[in-house]
Amino acid sequence: MDSELDGSPGNLHLQRIGASQVAQSFLPQHSGQNRPPSSRSPTASPLQFISSKVTIFFYCSREESPYHIQGGKMFFWVLALLILCGFLWNYKRQLKIADITDKYIFITGCDTGFGNLAARTFDKKGFHVIAACLTESESIALKAETSERLHTVLLDVTDPENVKRTAQWVKNQVGEKGLWGLINNAGILGVLAPTDWLTVEDYREPIEVNLFGLISVTLNLLPLVKKARGRIINVSSIGGRLAFSGGGYTPSKYAVEGFNDSLRRDMKAFGVHVSCIEPGLFKTGLSDPIKATEKKLAIWKHLSPDIKQQYGEGYIEKCLDKLKGTNSFVNVDLSLVVECMDHALTSLFPKTHYAAGRDAKTFWIPLSHMPAVLQDFLLLKQKIELANPKAV
């Protein structure tokens, strides 16, 4: 059979015959007449019948088909186009603004963490950095580590008068150049605990800082950013994509995402780019597990006996043990977030959303696009089993 199916010259005559003739030659004969293709000779074995059908298909497929040739060419050109688009897309992302030495940026939450590292990084790059700190001690420490270009200012984003005074001071500093970059980084974690442990006041504090503080700073500095046709960068969280715990943190970040999207569309006509950064779990003072546990214990003491019975006396300790098992997923390199800020500030084509951290890219963000039933299944696996949930 192999010698019959090769492409040797001896088989040219066989290759030239039409598909119908090949099919006819392989159909079993009966009473001197061709049997219908759907029938089979009683004397032919199943193996012979299948072999004949495979051979017919082989020769039929070897006939030259213009559609087959055109399909192959089309696939090649589509593949080439996709590769070219990928190259151009990557090249476009690498294009940077021409000069940064005459540009001013304002960063909130520069006492520690992302904001502190961002202030020092952008100062070294040559930006005129205005770093807003909550405490005077951290403000002095930051100023001592940076150049004369960097200025610090004390700012409580929840104090409207303080925000207005700061905005006026920034306006005097930047002059007619306007404000190239506004990085809304200030935020707090608040209490992370089951919803039925909390009061409305436990929700209020993180929402005041993370949402209303961010909006207040943005609205007061927005005219300066519009003048420079600059950039606004809002630091949200993976907590703005998935509610991983009870408390005011995730509602505040969900709201930040909504404010960011509406602001981005509103500022498009003014040439202002608005980006949102969604960090995963990072090792910062904000996410200190000891402080989080202390807050839970303080709330536990004031819970009703019924709730304590439902959750069990060892609930907090079990939560802490469970949390220790997730330490390998916590990012320690804060520069991953600052790199996102840098791209959003300096790229000619900044992204609308940035995922920062391995866990955000490989788990949290993909999971946020999954069906709710899958989200619940995976997140509930991390919950501690209650001692007696029926004791209500």
Side-chain angles (χ1 to χ4, degrees):
M1 180 64 71
D2 293 337
S3 63
E4 294 176 358
L5 302 182
D6 61 20
S8 61
N11 288 310
L12 292 178
H13 175 70
L14 183 59
Q15 294 177 14
R16 289 193 190 102
I17 64 177
S20 60
Q21 293 175 329
V22 173
Q24 189 68 32
S25 66
F26 280 94
L27 288 174
Q29 304 297 313
H30 180 68
S31 301
Q33 295 181 351
N34 294 336
R35 291 175 61 88
S38 60
S39 64
R40 187 179 64 182
S41 172
T43 61
S45 68
L47 182 60
Q48 290 173 330
F49 178 76
I50 295 173
S51 176
S52 67
K53 297 298 184 184
V54 171
T55 307
I56 292 170
F57 172 78
F58 176 81
Y59 276 101
C60 289
S61 64
R62 290 186 60 160
E63 285 192 340
E64 292 186 3
S65 170
Y67 299 103
H68 177 74
I69 297 173
Q70 291 176 4
K73 290 182 178 180
M74 180 65 70
F75 174 78
F76 171 78
W77 285 113
V78 169
L79 180 62
L81 181 62
L82 289 175
I83 294 174
L84 178 61
C85 289
F87 173 78
L88 293 176
W89 184 267
N90 185 62
Y91 175 74
K92 185 182 77 167
R93 293 296 187 191
Q94 296 177 3
L95 297 176
K96 300 287 186 178
I97 58 176
D99 189 19
I100 63 174
T101 57
D102 63 339
K103 289 179 169 52
Y104 286 82
I105 60 174
F106 183 87
I107 311 172
T108 64
C110 293
D111 298 72
T112 59
F114 303 139
N116 186 275
L117 179 59
R120 290 186 281 112
T121 300
F122 294 133
D123 174 61
K124 290 179 182 178
K125 284 181 174 290
F127 280 105
H128 293 274
V129 178
I130 303 175
C133 300
L134 182 63
T135 63
E136 187 172 2
S137 60
E138 296 295 345
S139 173
I140 294 173
L142 178 60
K143 193 71 181 74
E145 297 176 358
T146 52
S147 71
E148 295 181 354
R149 287 190 306 273
L150 185 141
H151 296 277
T152 60
V153 59
L154 296 179
L155 176 64
D156 178 0
V157 297
T158 63
D159 183 347
E161 292 302 320
N162 189 355
V163 173
K164 288 180 180 180
R165 290 194 302 269
T166 301
Q168 183 59 48
W169 181 83
V170 172
K171 182 178 180 180
N172 296 336
Q173 290 290 320
V174 303
E176 292 301 316
K177 292 182 179 179
L179 185 65
W180 173 256
L182 167 60
I183 303 179
N184 285 310
N185 170 74
I188 62 172
L189 193 62
V191 179
L192 298 182
T195 304
D196 51 349
W197 291 22
L198 305 175
T199 66
V200 69
E201 294 303 321
D202 295 320
Y203 284 85
R204 194 182 304 279
E205 184 183 16
I207 291 176
E208 285 286 348
V209 176
N210 300 346
L211 176 61
F212 291 120
L214 181 148
I215 293 175
S216 177
V217 171
T218 302
L219 295 180
N220 279 275
L221 292 176
L222 196 55
L224 300 178
V225 180
K226 289 167 67 177
K227 178 178 290 188
R229 298 174 67 85
R231 311 289 170 83
I232 299 175
I233 303 163
N234 297 311
V235 180
S236 178
S237 165
I238 51 96
R241 302 291 291 268
L242 279 174
F244 55 80
S245 178
Y249 181 77
T250 53
S252 70
K253 293 301 184 179
Y254 266 82
V256 166
E257 296 271 349
F259 174 75
N260 177 87
D261 289 348
S262 62
L263 179 66
R264 182 182 69 249
R265 296 175 185 122
D266 290 340
M267 291 297 104
K268 189 79 172 178
F270 299 97
V272 174
H273 291 279
V274 179
S275 300
C276 184
I277 299 177
E278 298 162 337
L281 303 178
F282 279 82
K283 189 175 182 180
T284 65
L286 186 72
S287 58
D288 188 343
I290 296 177
K291 292 181 179 179
T293 303
E294 289 175 350
K295 292 179 180 179
K296 277 187 179 180
L297 287 171
I299 293 177
W300 176 267
K301 294 177 181 178
H302 299 91
L303 293 178
S304 67
D306 290 343
I307 293 181
K308 288 183 178 181
Q309 183 182 358
Q310 293 161 16
Y311 283 85
E313 288 295 333
Y315 180 81
I316 295 180
E317 288 75 13
K318 292 177 182 178
C319 288
L320 189 58
D321 291 338
K322 193 86 170 181
L323 192 62
K324 291 178 181 178
T326 63
N327 286 340
S328 58
F329 297 98
V330 176
N331 302 279
V332 296
D333 185 6
L334 305 187
S335 67
L336 296 175
V337 176
V338 177
E339 287 172 3
C340 295
M341 296 177 180
D342 179 54
H343 188 273
L345 276 177
T346 62
S347 174
L348 287 179
F349 302 96
K351 299 179 182 179
T352 58
H353 289 83
Y354 294 84
R358 182 179 58 184
D359 61 322
K361 294 179 179 179
T362 61
F363 180 74
W364 295 108
I365 302 299
L367 184 59
S368 70
H369 296 288
M370 300 296 177
V373 63
L374 181 59
Q375 296 176 4
D376 293 349
F377 173 76
L378 293 176
L379 295 181
L380 286 174
K381 286 184 67 176
Q382 305 302 317
K383 296 283 187 180
I384 302 299
E385 186 176 354
L386 304 189
N388 189 8
K390 295 183 179 179
V392 292

